Every structure is written in C-alpha cells, then in structure tokens.
Amino acid sequence: MASVDGSEALSIAILEAVQSHGTVNTLEFSRERGRDHQEIVGLMKSLSSLGDVIKTDQVQSESWQLTEEGQGVEQNGSHEAIVFNAIPEAGILQAELMKSVPNAKIGFSKAMSSGWVVMDKSNPSGPLVKRKVSSITDAVRAHLQQLACGNAAAVPEKDLKEYKKRKLVQFIVVRSYNVTKGASFTTSITKQEAELLPEMIASRSWETTSFKPYNFDAMGASLDCGHLHPLMKVRAQFRQIFLEMGFSEMPTNNYVESSFWNFDALFQPQQHPARDAHDTFFIKDPSTSNNFPTDYLERVHQVHQEGGYGSQGYGYQWKIEEAQKNLMRTHTTAVSARMLYKLAQQPEFQPSKYFSIDRVFRNETLDATHLAEFHQIEGVVADRNLTLGHLMGVLREFFHKLGIRKLRFKPAYNPYTEPSLEVFSFHEGLNKWVEIGNSGVFRPEMLLPMGLPEDVSVIAWGLSLERPTMIKYGINNIRDLVGHKIDLQMVKEAPIYLIDAES
C-alpha cells in the first residue's frame, strides 16, 4: 500500500494528467503507472469528495482473457499438439502415451477429431497410437497468442466459443472511469475538514477553512442480521390465508412416520408402487413401529383385506409387518389422517378445518424441478354432507386469495380420494393452462374405520410450496432455491413476498 505522501503524489499526478490531456481513463492510467486499478479508483473518489474539482463518468470495456490453463497453452502449445509431438515415428502404446503426457486425455481426443493421429487396435501389445499426418499447425496456440496481444478480432467467433468451453479463455467486463475537469478544477490538493472544532470558532479560522459538504442522501451502515429464506416468506403468506379462512394449523413435527399412518390408514394398498424403496425412504433404525390403536388397526386390516362400509376392499392378504415399517413421510396427509382419527374419538363430532405446510420426502430423481425433499401445502375440511361442489367452492376461494382467478378442474385418480380433481390455472406468461394442485373427497374406506359418522365427508387439497416460490422470484432451477448451491446473497436481497390478490 502506498504511503500517505505517495498517495497524495499519485493524486496530484492524476490531476496533472487531466490538466495535460483533458480526459484520463483510470484503467489506462493504472497500467501506465504500474499500479493496481482499484487504488487509482480510490484516489479518484477521494478527489471527487473535495468538491467540484473533477468530474467522473463510468465506462466499461469487454475483452477476452486467457485463463491459467490458456496461458500454459499460449506458452507451450495446445494439448493436442503436445500429444502429437510426443508420438514417435513408429508410434506409441496408448497406455504409455496417457502416462507420459500431461492432459493426454483431452489432447488425444482433440488430436483424433482433428485427424492428426490414428489408433491401431490390432497391435498385440495393446492399442498403438500413430501419426496420421507428417506435420501440423497449432491453430489453438496461435489464436491464444493473438488474444494475449489483445487482438480478439483475429480469432473466429466459433473458435472463441470452443476455447471458452475448454476453459482456455474467459470473457470479462472491466469497469473504469473517465476523469475530466470540474468547475473548481485545480492541480493542488487542499484537505477539507469534516468537523467544526471549538478551536476553529475561537480563532475564527473556520472563515477560511474548506469543509466537506454534508451528504444528506447517504445511507446508514447496513447491519449484519438474519434474513428470511424466500420459502419462509411465501410460507408466511400461505399460512396467513389459511388463518383468514378459519383453519387451524396441524402439528407436523414428526418427519419419521410409520407405513400404517402414511399409507394403510389412507386406504392405500400394500402393493402400491409408491410403497417401493425406489419411491420412498425407509428408516433402518428403528425400522418398525408397533404403537397403533388396536381396534382401529384391526378395522383398517379388515377394510383392506375383506372390505366393509359398502366397499369390497382390495382382496389381498394384508400384513402387519408392512404397516409397521418406518419411513420418511411422503406427504403431510399422514398428519391429516392422525388429526381426523383424533377428531373421530371426540364424544361429539365438531366440524373442523385444518391445514399444514411442512417438509415431505420422496426418492425422486434430482433435476431442475425435483428434489428428494420439498414442502407440501395441505388443507382439510371435515363437516356433514360435504360434496364435490363444496370442494370446488373452497378451492376457488383459496386460490382467489392467492390472486388466481382463472381455474379449471379435471377428474383424476388418487388412492384415498373419490372423486378426485386436478386443479389447473391459466398462466399468462406461458399462455397455457398449468397444473397447480390436486384435490378430492376422502373415501369412506378411510374415514369410517376411524369412527367418524357416516354423514361426515372430508374434502382436501394440496400443492407444493416450491413451485409458486420459483415463479414469484423468477427461479428456474429448484437447486438454486433449496440446498447447498443456494446463493446467500439472494436470500439477503429477496423482497418480501406479497400475494397479488384483488381486494
């Protein structure tokens, strides 16, 4: 770092250069002086704080720059050229070539595609690599030498893209400043005082002292503090909507669930594909549970195996061993099943509305829109004589509060709801209808074994939390929203989520 005197001398040099040339670019000045560009920018900003001594305009330049690997190619030759030069007239075994030449794998591949070398697989000692041509021109090295000299125009655009793909070059944007004279330009530096001291008042020196102007637009220092994740901001809005509609939040703190509550209690057969290991995460220790309501367990067993309550059941040999298996819950409907069973045990049935927003786990193939762990939003209404019309009405009110008014319903199949509906909304940006949720009326085979009255129906619906969050914040890859690749700066700067609902 330059001393105070050195910094002042460099600042005066900037002013003298402006005096001589009219305009000085900070990047060019730093190169001429052999100084760091940021140091020159700092001195420029200090000069700007002296008043209207100088004027500055930010400019930016774009250029291709060699990476560390590209610099090696520029000095020593391309990987493919090095491989070619390492091949003797009689040829060389491929295995030996790979061991003796750095970056031989990429070099050999490029040499083969360029038609420089050929491989003889009939050699008894192993594949033999031979030269196919007598000499070569290392165009890659020649192009990188042009780029090192700042002559990017000499390199074809398609080659630049190829070298960038090979990580030999990178495209950079450099921001600098043009410095010109201000209204009060001078080549001498007079330090401005930042404070009015008692001594200045007593000696009246303040009358001839230059003071720094107050910046009333300056922002206060930003405080380091925690920030809500975008998912939590969206979750808060969904939770508020449920509360406004009179719903009560269900306890969802048991991520580990038994197969009984996750599948069997929902009248989902034990042979269902969702219960396979490739779709569900099963727990190794403890691997099983056995704390189930005995009478209820037997009724579930009965309705699966032999039917009942007007149903013929599935007609298979139901096994307690399957129901006892522990797993990471695949949906929050397992929580809804527990709450409905608890409701059924009350002395007198009371209409109820429940909701939950929490994590579920599925053995998914990871891609831009799927993770093995995600959040499910679920709403449940239990009352007497509810119909499909009630379900559609509640769904319209729920989605209207989200600002979604163009809705369509499509018949669907779910193991534990009948009838079932998929919910679609018209996406203005995509100009098409997209699925936004699933819903249905819980089957009697699920509700009656719990002990609920026969005239009680339960309507329910669910959707993910991640999809509306990605749409709201313009995120295309779910791994940029959740997981170890998330940008913490995005979390810090993400705005508050406001539902675009009409009043």
Side-chain angles (χ1 to χ4, degrees), residues 203-222:
S203 64
R204 302 185 67 84
S205 62
W206 62 270
E207 296 177 351
T208 57
T209 300
S210 176
F211 290 94
K212 288 184 178 180
Y214 282 104
N215 182 4
F216 293 103
D217 295 325
M219 300 292 291
S222 59

Side-chain angles (χ1 to χ4, degrees), residues 331-349:
H331 47 199
T332 53
T333 315
V335 181
S336 302
R338 286 180 176 270
M339 292 299 296
L340 291 172
Y341 175 75
K342 183 178 179 181
L343 177 66
Q345 308 316 302
Q346 302 300 317
E348 184 176 347
F349 172 76

